[in-house]
Amino acid sequence: MDSFNDVLSAAKAYCKERLVDATYNLYIDGLEAVSFEGSGKVVLAVRNDFICTIVRDRYTPLLKEALAAVLGFDVEVELVVPAAAPEKPAPEPEKPAPVSAPSGKYDFTFENFIKGPSNQFAYAAAQAVASNPSGAYNPLFIYGQSGLGKTHLLNAIQVEIKKNHPDFNIVYVDCEKFTNEIITAIREGNTESFRQKYRAADVLLVDDIQFIAGKESTQEEFFHTFNTLHNAGKQIVLASDRPAKEIKSLEERLRTRFEWGLTADIQPPDFETRVAIIRRKAELFNLDMPDDVAEFIANHLKNNIRQLEGAVKKLNAYYMLEGIQPVIGVAQNAIKDILNETQPVPVTIEKIIGEVGRTYNVTPAEIRGMRRTANISSARQTAIYVVREITGMSMEDIGKEFGGRDHSTIVYSLKSMENNLNNDRHLKETVEDIIKNVRS
Ligand SMILES: Nc1ncnc2c1ncn2[C@@H]1O[C@H](COP(=O)(O)OP(=O)(O)OP(=O)(O)O)[C@@H](O)[C@H]1O
């Protein structure tokens, strides 16, 4: 059996767990591997046109999800019926494919966190909190750029505390989810159960706390949650992409609280740590990674551990699918792909309107619509301003996005916003944070 077939079998098993037997047997079980193209396209053969149409219309997303779960990166899926399928190449000479296909998956634990000068302080602080919650470091505030291990450390704290205190109520939440929950609770007049959920925590871990910037009702609610927990001697851990003092539209009373305990930063890893991380990730795949290749990757991907992981996953996929050994030339391609994939994605209008909506506590439909209560009008004006700032769209096009408003209305709105920004420091900081958050 060649390794592409191994991948397809694992992907089928993934689908099997998610479909009823009859559906699986009819549409997925019979799929056959045709080819895998280096560009990331998987071609599969389907028995006949009828099944092909159904699989294409209904099951391609699941197949893509399954293949991504097995391979560790996204692929396109093309379906062909056998008559149209390209000739299968003659059997190739034995490829040195691995016997089994370890998934490379691992738990976000302390044991699996590689330490180096750039992260050892944050690591030690996280361990101290995990072994003695509500001790000297409360809250623990961890900050660092994207992909450097903040979420990994929050999870490690959670796992460790759970091990030592199985009865503890540990609540982990992403700040965006916390914000959405509070907005919904306020709208539905159901803030009590929201409060109970968070204030009953023995340990509260909040990821991406920078998203609280500018959101007044979320800040108000979080302030009370924080006080209740802190007064009751419960541990709070916060992770952010920037230090508290750089979250501009954060209320002063929260900023001081965030700095009450211990602040620990994570910096990009140095060369030795990057090499150690690459080796460890390769081990998880059972992939034999030569030193020169590990060093080559470490020399080219410097600022993000997620990217290092991505490069190792790609090398593993080349080996698994095509029997290509990890050598520098292949690593070069993998790095190029990773850098292309991680180009900043253009910010969409939906994302801007969503973030402004969460900040002002109004819905995207209200921002795009015609109602003119003070709060909705302010949110709309801010959204128009941010859209113009970030996308540089023409006034006409912005008008179309905002309920078909005409050119002069948009010009007026931008002028009055600029005027407000000059006179209102709080508004200016809020807008700066919104722009940072939608770009991150
Ligand atoms: N020191 C480390 N040792 C091993 N793996 C690490 C280390 N640091 C980060 N990673 C891995 O890198 C990936 C990205 O880490 P993580 O998601 O924790 O980053 P983050 O700082 O929370 O990023 P973001 O702000 O984008 O959410 C994860 O798979 C994580 O396990």
Side-chain angles (χ1 to χ4, degrees), residues 23 108 148 272 386 421:
T23 308
F108 283 6
L148 294 183
E272 283 75 21
V386 176
L421 285 170

Side-chain angles (χ1 to χ4, degrees), residues 334-355:
I335 290 168
K336 208 159 52 188
D337 285 353
I338 302 266
L339 292 176
N340 281 339
E341 281 162 20
T342 43
Q343 290 297 324
V345 233
V347 178
T348 60
I349 297 191
E350 281 67 34
K351 190 168 180 194
I352 295 171
I353 292 182
E355 180 65 10

Side-chain angles (χ1 to χ4, degrees), residues 106-108 112-116 119 144-155 174 207-208 210 239-241 266 273 277 280-281 304-307 309 313:
Y106 61 96
D107 295 327
F108 283 6
N112 289 332
F113 191 86
I114 311 268
K115 293 173 293 278
N119 60 25
Q145 291 160 27
S146 174
L148 294 183
K150 302 181 297 291
T151 304
H152 188 132
L153 282 181
L154 289 195
N155 273 279
D174 187 86
D207 209 348
D208 289 323
Q210 74 275 2
S240 166
D241 72 354
I266 307 187
T273 313
I277 289 171
R280 176 84 188 103
K281 306 288 172 187
N304 187 321
I305 294 173
R306 197 175 283 124
Q307 290 184 340
E309 248 175 19
K313 278 183 192 165

